[in-house]
Amino acid sequence: MRIDILTLFPEMFPGVLGASILGRAAAGNFASYHLHDIRDFADNKHRKVDDRPFGGGPGMVMMCQPLVDAVNAAEAEDDRPATRILLTPQGKPLDQPLVEQLAEKPRLLMIAGHYEGVDERAIEQLAPLEISIGDYVLSGGELPAMVLIDAIVRLIPGVLGHEDSALEDSFAARGPDQQRLLDCPHYTRPREWAGREVPEVLLSGDHQAVEQWRQEKMLERTRARRPDLLP
Ligand code: 4GO
């Protein structure tokens, strides 16, 4: 999968994209990340990419021309059609089914806005999918873009070491009814720590009993913490 990222702050990304699973995915050619500085597409010598809002009010608005030129230049770098995404609090709330849909795409282009937002005419022109990572406001779309990239890239087949890992996550669709539950608790050595024991069934070697215990814990936790996820 090719991922293009359009931002005014490209320096925010290399640490996150270079470490852990996202770094390994790039090293193994499962994903490639392409950063584009929107400011490089300013048409004035001051490299100005924002201006004051018509109608007045505080803050600045990102101008149409540098953003749309940046999208066109980025898209021309590769033949594959890009699914355009704008990260915004006004977008569709991100959930695991949406992440799974996006993980199937050959190419994503993410736009991270800043200041008060982007001129609405650029949004109409580009017609991106508008996505929100939750009901709160951040100073830019960069962190939401990184969240979305992480959620997507770990689902690309081959990226997680253990091929079943993603099937066992919280929110993974499980069983005949494709139910999405919270994950169960996990334990590792030692068997006793600070007077706390690992649940006996996990030491029993009885795989069917372990599976049944995990399923019960997932249901119990989901009922207690996120009853909205249950039918
Ligand atoms: C996205 C962008 C929050 C989200 C953002 C979110 N804040 N909840 N801020 O996904 C335009 C200027 C939006 C700052 C950006």
Side-chain angles (χ1 to χ4, degrees):
M1 174 186 288
R2 173 176 170 124
I3 302 178
D4 291 271
I5 303 151
L6 278 62
T7 171
L8 291 171
F9 299 94
E11 67 275 16
M12 290 176 69
F13 287 84
V16 168
L17 299 183
S20 187
I21 305 286
L22 296 184
R24 285 220 326 261
N29 282 328
F30 295 104
S32 64
Y33 313 121
H34 303 263
L35 287 160
H36 307 271
D37 188 341
I38 297 166
R39 201 174 293 283
D40 291 345
F41 296 86
D43 65 357
N44 56 85
K45 63 176 181 296
H46 312 289
R47 304 202 351 126
K48 183 180 163 68
V49 293
D50 60 332
D51 208 335
R52 297 180 355 237
F54 279 122
M60 300 290 270
V61 176
M62 282 175 67
M63 297 157 61
C64 293
Q65 171 270 318
L67 177 59
V68 171
D69 286 358
V71 169
N72 289 333
E75 289 186 350
E77 287 184 11
D78 190 283
D79 285 338
R80 286 169 286 183
T83 298
R84 297 172 178 166
I85 296 169
L86 176 67
L87 289 310
T88 163
Q90 284 91 50
K92 176 179 162 66
L94 184 63
D95 58 11
Q96 198 67 18
L98 179 53
V99 172
E100 289 167 9
Q101 276 182 40
L102 295 173
E104 310 271 319
K105 306 282 187 188
R107 183 177 184 196
L108 303 174
L109 181 143
M110 301 191 188
I111 301 166
H114 232 90
Y115 314 118
E116 295 308 303
V118 175
D119 187 314
E120 190 66 20
R121 295 166 297 177
I123 301 173
E124 289 169 8
Q125 177 76 24
L126 295 169
L129 266 177
E130 298 182 58
I131 295 177
S132 166
I133 65 161
D135 289 341
Y136 42 84
V137 177
L138 300 166
S139 40
E142 286 80 10
L143 290 166
M146 291 185 229
V147 166
L148 184 54
I149 292 167
D150 188 291
I152 291 169
V153 168
R154 61 190 296 289
L155 295 187
I156 298 173
V159 166
L160 293 184
H162 182 233
E163 266 323 277
D164 296 342
S165 305
L167 300 176
E168 313 222 332
D169 290 330
S170 285
F171 308 117
R174 287 186 177 79
D177 47 354
Q178 295 290 284
Q179 208 172 190
R180 294 175 182 274
L181 302 176
L182 299 185
D183 202 0
C184 59
H186 302 282
Y187 300 88
T188 188
R189 293 189 295 178
R191 293 171 59 140
E192 191 224 294
W193 174 81
R196 297 174 188 274
E197 301 266 5
V198 170
E200 192 68 36
V201 61
L202 299 180
L203 311 172
S204 68
D206 181 341
H207 293 299
Q208 217 187 304
V210 169
E211 259 330 290
Q212 194 185 321
W213 179 87
R214 286 181 171 158
Q215 179 69 29
E216 280 164 15
K217 287 292 166 189
M218 290 191 293
L219 271 169
E220 183 183 302
R221 283 199 157 180
T222 307
R223 216 173 298 129
R225 301 182 187 188
R226 293 293 306 278
D228 59 296
L229 294 177
L230 295 171

